[in-house]
Amino acid sequence: MIIKMKRIKKIIYISLVSVLICTIGCANMGSVSKNNNSTLSSHFKGLFHLGAAINEETILGKDSKSVSIVKSEFNSITPENSLKWMYIQPKANQFEFKAADRYVQLGLENDMYIVGHALVWHNQLADFMQTINDADEIQGYIANHINTVVSRYKGKIDAWDVVNEAFDEDGSLRKSVFYNNLGEDYIEDVFKLAEKADPQADLIYNDYNFYKPKKRAGILKMVKKFKSKGVKIDGVGVQAHWDLKSPSIDQIEQIILDVHAAGVPVSFTELDISVLPNPWEMVGAEVTQNFSQFEGDPKMSPYPNKLPSKVQKQLAKRYHDIFKLFVKHSDKINRVTFWGVMDKHSWLNDWPINGRTNYPLLFDRNYNPKPAYKSVLEVNTNPKN
Ligand code: XIL
């Protein structure tokens, strides 16, 4: 794990509030931590941060069971939606910080590695941004967005997904509104703006389908270019929206080795394992893909009531194998973050087909740990074994 110097102000704050929090909160923790010696984050402590993406219900404290799991099981958080452009700056120069402020506060109070997701992304972008056809205008909005948001949480948010999903499957740059207006150097400029706003924060490039060699090569070429030019980039975020078979453990290992060879640590930023069949045309995790023709098709949602124990076991084994690999390469990994806390709230119930019942996480629909939770805790954390 890459150990980051925690800022002194933050440590003092944490020490003061932690006594108070434990007095109130320890009596209130979920069944998971009471019955086990280990939690997910304690099990992998010293190897990598263990995180979860949290939704607005959790951030605002409306889902107390989820909050309880997050506090006891994870030492890092990512906002599932609350820091995305369309929520933070829905109209030009109008910022909405309520949920984001609460999110950051939750992370500070619990001494967590706090992730900001995401500054520049073609999806979940405010409407006014999507139609801009002028380089200076879009550059002005990007600079203002980054300065305003990153500066507000300077010294508090530990890592930023600075740019999300800027590459196409063949390793070329996606023809997004950013690329179309600004050309290929826009990513470098955006990283420089983020560095200026908070020189201490870890700056991450985040994307899906790293297991595809051409896409990975395109991204890592950029990373190497940044490193050789001295443009600050502190890591690559591999989304990890995977399924029971794909990508293979060998393919995942190759990702880790190649990112490491490019000179930065890897974070698995959005881990979830779908157990459902997917339409064959689906490409990675592009969120705008929606296969409405399959809605209500029982073949596409074969487990509406319960996950059969056979599949439950496959899921547990898959997670075990993945974490075994992560431990083997923990010197190259900074963080592993699940995309959600419990199955019921996973985005995979509605993507890429609406209204399915998926089971991709470690906690079930009643907030109880699944066999996969146990299998992850059974991973030997001594990488030499
Ligand atoms: C997803 C959220 O989980 C959903 O709630 C939302 O409706 C769409 O976005 N890649 C990313 C994440 O980087 O931000 C996406 O999150 C999932 C794919």
Side-chain angles (χ1 to χ4, degrees):
M1 180 171 70
I2 305 351
I3 309 281
K4 195 170 143 70
M5 288 282 292
K6 288 279 171 191
R7 279 140 256 184
I8 294 174
K9 246 166 74 184
K10 190 165 158 177
I11 292 173
I12 295 171
Y13 178 68
I14 298 307
S15 332
L16 286 175
V17 292
S18 56
V19 176
L20 182 67
I21 286 170
C22 200
T23 319
I24 302 165
C26 290
N28 217 2
M29 289 213 180
S31 57
V32 177
S33 54
K34 260 195 268 172
N35 298 333
N36 293 288
N37 294 327
S38 271
T39 64
L40 293 169
S41 59
S42 69
H43 191 69
F44 296 102
K45 203 171 170 61
L47 298 184
F48 37 74
H49 300 291
L50 223 271
I54 56 175
N55 61 18
E56 200 154 305
E57 298 279 292
T58 304
I59 290 170
L60 299 180
K62 293 179 185 165
D63 184 343
S64 58
K65 287 184 177 168
S66 170
V67 174
S68 178
I69 292 177
V70 170
K71 285 184 183 175
S72 58
E73 295 291 330
F74 299 103
N75 56 20
S76 175
I77 46 176
T78 303
E80 185 175 2
N81 287 300
S82 307
L83 263 165
K84 290 171 180 173
W85 193 311
M86 67 183 280
Y87 298 112
I88 279 279
Q89 192 189 173
K91 301 224 163 78
N93 303 314
Q94 282 182 24
F95 288 86
E96 307 279 347
F97 288 119
K98 187 177 161 223
D101 284 356
R102 293 281 293 274
Y103 164 75
V104 171
Q105 193 191 346
L106 178 71
L108 289 175
E109 285 171 359
N110 292 282
D111 195 16
M112 287 168 156
Y113 185 82
I114 306 173
V115 181
H117 172 83
L119 292 171
V120 170
W121 186 29
H122 63 283
N123 278 322
Q124 295 184 286
L125 186 60
D127 287 346
F128 78 90
M129 286 290 289
Q130 321 237 15
T131 48
I132 295 178
N133 202 359
D134 181 274
D136 289 341
E137 190 185 355
I138 200 162
Q139 183 58 32
Y141 282 122
I142 293 171
N144 185 41
H145 188 80
I146 292 177
N147 288 338
T148 308
V149 180
V150 177
S151 305
R152 185 178 183 91
Y153 303 116
K154 184 177 176 183
K156 296 177 179 170
I157 287 194
D158 296 283
W160 279 102
D161 289 340
V162 179
V163 176
N164 195 24
E165 302 179 355
F167 281 80
D168 269 329
E169 301 309 285
D170 63 357
S172 67
L173 283 173
R174 183 190 289 275
K175 307 300 172 282
S176 66
V177 69
F178 306 110
Y179 176 89
N180 292 340
N181 278 293
L182 299 167
E184 62 181 20
D185 287 336
Y186 86 90
I187 303 182
E188 185 176 322
D189 294 340
V190 166
F191 269 78
K192 286 178 181 161
L193 286 168
E195 182 190 5
K196 213 164 150 217
D198 186 354
Q200 302 300 321
D202 289 338
L203 304 183
I204 309 296
Y205 175 79
N206 196 51
D207 215 325
Y208 57 78
N209 278 358
F210 268 86
Y211 73 93
K212 292 191 171 176
K214 278 191 184 157
K215 184 163 188 176
R216 180 165 75 240
I219 295 169
L220 295 184
K221 194 170 154 207
M222 174 193 77
V223 171
K224 287 179 201 154
K225 188 173 129 203
F226 281 18
K227 298 292 282 180
S228 71
K229 288 175 77 175
V231 177
K232 181 172 154 64
I233 179 164
D234 302 297
V236 156
V238 172
Q239 288 189 6
H241 299 292
W242 296 334
D243 64 31
L244 286 170
K245 294 219 168 72
S246 173
S248 69
I249 294 297
D250 286 351
Q251 285 174 316
I252 301 170
E253 183 161 42
Q254 202 56 54
I255 298 173
I256 299 172
L257 296 173
D258 286 1
V259 172
H260 178 71
V264 289
V266 59
S267 289
F268 292 92
T269 53
E270 306 185 15
L271 176 60
D272 47 24
I273 304 290
S274 175
V275 300
L276 300 183
N278 273 328
W280 66 270
E281 312 100 298
M282 202 178 90
V283 181
E286 167 56 50
V287 296
T288 53
Q289 290 178 104
N290 190 285
F291 295 88
S292 53
Q293 70 272 31
F294 293 121
E295 265 177 50
D297 181 342
K299 278 203 289 305
M300 288 307 201
S301 187
Y303 320 120
N305 303 315
K306 189 174 180 289
L307 191 63
S309 71
K310 188 176 149 219
V311 190
Q312 192 78 264
K313 280 186 194 139
Q314 287 170 357
L315 182 70
K317 181 171 184 318
R318 175 75 163 141
Y319 265 122
H320 186 90
D321 293 347
I322 289 171
F323 272 85
K324 204 170 147 193
L325 180 76
F326 289 169
V327 167
K328 179 178 172 193
H329 291 294
S330 59
D331 59 330
K332 308 171 190 70
I333 299 176
N334 186 41
R335 171 171 54 98
V336 178
T337 292
F338 289 89
W339 202 245
V341 176
M342 53 92 98
D343 287 342
K344 192 166 139 196
H345 298 148
S346 165
W347 76 303
L348 292 176
N349 293 304
D350 290 306
W351 181 91
I353 302 169
N354 279 327
R356 298 200 294 177
T357 307
N358 211 335
Y359 302 81
L361 298 166
L362 299 191
F363 293 88
D364 70 15
R365 286 177 155 64
N366 296 315
Y367 301 88
N368 290 318
K370 294 158 62 176
Y373 171 88
K374 197 160 163 265
S375 79
V376 167
L377 282 186
E378 279 166 3
V379 171
N380 186 335
T381 49
N382 183 347
K384 296 211 169 61
N385 293 334

